[in-house]
Amino acid sequence: MKVLEEVSKLRNKKINKIEKLKEEQKALDFWNDFETICSGKYEDLTEVHGKHLLKCFGIYDKGSSDSFTIRIRIPLGQLTQEQASKFSQVAYKYGKSTIDLTTRSQMEFRHLNLHELPIVLKELESVGITTFQTAGDNFRGVITSPFDGYSKTSLITCEDLIQDIHDVFLKNEEYIGTLPRKFNTGILGDTVNDCNIFGQDCAFVLASKDDELGFNLYLGGKVGVQARPLNLFISPNQVKLTFKTIVDLFKKYGFRDNRNKNRITYFLDEIGIEEFEKAIIETSALPLKTAGELLVKDEYKIDKSATIKLKDNKTAVYFPIPSGIFNSKDLHCVTILMDETNSILRLTNEQSFFLIAKDEFVQRIKEFQIFKKYDSYHNVYFNNQIACAGANECSFGVIANKSDAINMAIYLNQYVPIEDAKIRMYWSACPKGCGVHGVADIGFEGAKAKDENGEFCDSVKIFIGGKATTSIQEARQLSKAIPIAKAQEVTKELLTIYKNERINNESFENFDSRVLSFLTIEEIQQRVGL
């Protein structure tokens, strides 16, 4: 503990502006005045409101009285028919029908009016959904497999464990806006990594030890950085206290100086993973075992049937949502389908969703027009796609991004159509990497470059070789910033190589491990025309 204390003192002699704002008002005091504040003028909102307090309750001030965004906390990414129906109504009535599906299996509503915010939040709370602590220096939605509890490879059901994690911080004044920086958490009880589990600040990953199922612990992930393993095995009944210990250590000793380097990964860089491991053992007083055998080794693939067979006579039916752009009308149609087939909705980290229903209802789901609409997007380039908000919604965005990702998928499907394949294509509109392009099979990072006429235009850097099935970060930069039209041609050539040389319909990730990883970047560039 001495090392943690010494490093913390050195780094926290000066605190950043947001930390100073936190001292002006407690988050729950602000929440008690929330309706009064929202009934006033937009111009009366202060800096502490926009940069800290509103974010504690999932609200982003986008610069005008009718442009607020709210982020929803959806445990397991799971919606009942009642909840989905309420979301549809809220988006239609207050958010110009816009719904964004996110990379944490959550939803965002945009274009909201300041005066209507209290009404919207009450509407959501009426069906058991909250926005508390989903933005700012708080805990993002806890991720897990979209098939948690349903998959044949789901060895530990994590629903109750996620509730245990929520019990630590959710609506607890001690943790509302008090962390040094945001904190992403994941827990995976499945052998398939279908939720970017290694990209979290804190990840509990399925493992076995002495014939017991539990989790190996990983810490320090973020966009572009995979979490690193600790030599600790966590039993299911140890998850809650282990999680609380980690966040309390981060809260007490974490850095509060440079916000660009205040995530827990930077703290671990300074003190060393072994010191933090010792601090967890000492503080929790749990009889923690050394790490076990990691069981997360697989990946799932969506074939042309758009279904994945689950256990207990259930099936997941896939709805690919290009770039996560959804709307209230289509969600309303889905709720009708859910009601008739007694199905639930599970969001994915790839900005799409599955309906899970009994096998007998699968054909009925496929007969609905709303399924046929999105099944028309069913090609391998939409199946595993991510695109962050982009320049239209984010001040950091360099390119539009979502439309660029969609256009790329359409282009590739026209020139390199492939069946029975899996290619994870992730887009970030800027170097911040919110589209997690660094772990993609093929990743794109928004940039500006000159076109053939010498004029600056929307461009991307291309990355290849990110991994979903391991904690090893292997993405390599394939190109400097090139115009998007050129990026389409390069990606077409890359996927032509994959299509012609893959074996037994292997995924792009396996193909990269078998073929591309043994080539130099220069050799790959030559083959794709760079």
Side-chain angles (χ1 to χ4, degrees), residues 366-404:
K366 291 187 173 183
E367 291 171 355
F368 271 73
Q369 187 58 42
I370 191 63
F371 170 79
K372 294 178 180 178
K373 173 181 177 178
Y374 286 97
D375 191 49
S376 68
Y377 296 112
H378 187 79
N379 70 62
V380 297
Y381 306 113
F382 280 126
N383 282 351
N384 302 98
Q385 182 192 74
I386 286 176
C388 71
N392 294 334
E393 298 291 348
C394 177
S395 59
F396 296 107
V398 180
I399 61 174
N401 206 50
K402 285 185 178 290
S403 57
D404 298 318

Side-chain angles (χ1 to χ4, degrees), residues 156 158 161 164-165 186-189 202-209 212-219 230-246 276-277 280-281 284 286-293:
I156 298 178
C158 295
L161 297 175
D164 286 343
I165 291 171
I187 182 165
L188 181 63
C202 173
F204 299 90
V205 189
L206 182 68
S208 65
K209 178 79 173 184
E212 177 189 6
L213 288 175
F215 307 93
N216 282 351
L217 181 61
Y218 290 74
L219 295 177
L230 282 73
N231 189 24
L232 293 176
F233 176 81
I234 313 299
S235 298
N237 62 6
Q238 296 172 330
V239 166
K240 183 176 182 179
L241 182 53
T242 301
F243 174 79
K244 186 178 188 307
T245 300
I246 292 166
F276 200 82
E277 185 179 298
I280 293 172
I281 295 171
S284 69
L286 288 169
L288 298 174
K289 298 178 181 179
T290 56
E293 178 190 358

Side-chain angles (χ1 to χ4, degrees), residues 31-78:
W31 182 249
N32 292 333
D33 295 331
F34 183 65
E35 290 192 34
T36 301
I37 292 169
C38 290
S39 66
K41 296 180 180 179
Y42 173 77
E43 292 75 18
D44 293 333
L45 291 179
T46 65
E47 186 176 36
V48 68
H49 290 149
K51 291 192 173 181
H52 172 56
L53 292 169
L54 284 167
K55 292 180 180 179
C56 289
F57 305 98
I59 303 167
Y60 288 92
D61 179 356
K62 305 296 287 185
S64 68
S65 62
D66 59 355
S67 65
F68 286 87
T69 293
I70 60 172
R71 178 177 292 158
I72 319 301
R73 184 180 297 282
I74 306 173
L76 300 162
Q78 176 172 298

Side-chain angles (χ1 to χ4, degrees), residues 457-476:
C457 64
D458 286 356
S459 305
V460 290
K461 299 174 184 178
I462 304 176
F463 296 77
I464 60 170
K467 294 290 178 281
T469 56
T470 74
S471 62
I472 301 171
Q473 174 62 39
E474 297 183 9
R476 299 185 288 168

Side-chain angles (χ1 to χ4, degrees), residues 265-426:
T265 189
Y266 299 107
F267 185 58
L268 297 175
D269 286 343
E270 293 287 338
I271 66 169
I273 199 79
E274 296 82 6
E275 287 295 331
F276 200 82
E277 185 179 298
K278 287 190 287 187
I280 293 172
I281 295 171
E282 179 182 336
T283 306
S284 69
L286 288 169
L288 298 174
K289 298 178 181 179
T290 56
E293 178 190 358
L294 187 67
L295 300 181
V296 178
K297 301 174 181 178
D298 304 319
E299 57 179 328
Y300 76 91
K301 183 167 65 176
I302 303 160
D303 62 24
K304 59 184 179 182
S305 74
T307 61
I308 293 179
K309 189 72 177 69
L310 306 174
K311 60 186 178 184
D312 299 328
N313 299 314
K314 289 185 172 64
T315 294
V317 183
Y318 186 56
F319 286 69
I321 311 299
S323 292
I325 301 171
F326 206 42
N327 62 78
S328 62
K329 179 181 177 181
D330 286 354
L331 182 56
H332 174 68
C333 294
V334 170
T335 64
I336 296 173
L337 191 164
M338 292 172 69
D339 186 48
E340 182 169 324
T341 60
N342 194 30
S343 54
I344 64 162
L345 187 154
R346 280 272 176 104
L347 297 161
T348 76
N349 75 299
E350 292 177 324
Q351 298 175 305
S352 294
F353 64 84
F354 290 92
L355 287 188
I356 296 178
K358 291 183 178 180
D359 294 344
E360 62 197 78
F361 290 118
V362 170
Q363 187 55 43
R364 181 70 186 110
I365 290 174
K366 291 187 173 183
E367 291 171 355
F368 271 73
Q369 187 58 42
I370 191 63
F371 170 79
K372 294 178 180 178
K373 173 181 177 178
Y374 286 97
D375 191 49
S376 68
Y377 296 112
H378 187 79
N379 70 62
V380 297
Y381 306 113
F382 280 126
N383 282 351
N384 302 98
Q385 182 192 74
I386 286 176
C388 71
N392 294 334
E393 298 291 348
C394 177
S395 59
F396 296 107
V398 180
I399 61 174
N401 206 50
K402 285 185 178 290
S403 57
D404 298 318
I406 291 171
N407 291 336
M408 176 71 85
I410 293 171
Y411 172 89
L412 292 173
N413 197 51
Q414 178 181 356
Y415 290 101
V416 197
I418 310 177
E419 288 191 1
D420 196 18
K422 181 176 183 179
I423 308 162
R424 296 178 301 108
M425 304 181 70
Y426 299 166

